[in-house]
Amino acid sequence: MNELLPLAPALLAGLVLGALFFGGLWWTVRQCLSSPTPARWLLGSLVIRTGIVLAGFYRVGDGQWERLVACLLGFLIARLILIRLTGPSATATEVSHAPEP
């Protein structure tokens, strides 16, 4: 158990990076729905989000694979949490359950 305690900050950093990445993706997609240039939003967001996450992983990992794995685990946990929180919209649910002609 004592071996896992030093990995807790890396796990927390992964949660934050995942929240930034996937929260930013969710926000970008919502902005694209009303934008006349959605490709610019998507490309710009992709570059910024990926840059932040790569720099974060590089900084957190610090040449130790155990810290990278803990950070990746936190990143994936954040993804699951955000999927649960944002969920499908009511419109998407209604469309998927619509009777077929």
Side-chain angles (χ1 to χ4, degrees), residues 4-61:
L4 297 179
L5 194 55
L7 298 178
L11 181 74
L12 181 62
L15 284 168
V16 170
L17 288 171
L20 285 172
F21 186 86
F22 294 109
L25 176 61
W26 177 79
W27 182 81
T28 301
V29 169
R30 294 187 53 87
Q31 293 298 315
C32 287
L33 294 175
S34 61
S35 172
T37 57
R40 287 185 186 173
W41 275 100
L42 289 171
L43 184 60
S45 173
L46 175 67
V47 169
I48 292 169
R49 289 181 293 112
T50 303
I52 290 170
V53 169
L54 285 176
F57 269 84
Y58 181 76
R59 178 85 168 119
V60 169

Side-chain angles (χ1 to χ4, degrees), residues 40-87:
R40 287 185 186 173
W41 275 100
L42 289 171
L43 184 60
S45 173
L46 175 67
V47 169
I48 292 169
R49 289 181 293 112
T50 303
I52 290 170
V53 169
L54 285 176
F57 269 84
Y58 181 76
R59 178 85 168 119
V60 169
D62 197 31
Q64 298 177 12
W65 69 269
E66 296 93 349
R67 293 177 69 174
L68 279 175
V69 170
C71 190
L72 178 62
L73 181 63
F75 188 83
L76 294 175
I77 291 171
R79 177 182 179 265
L80 293 174
I81 291 170
L82 283 170
I83 287 173
R84 179 76 65 155
L85 289 176
T86 56

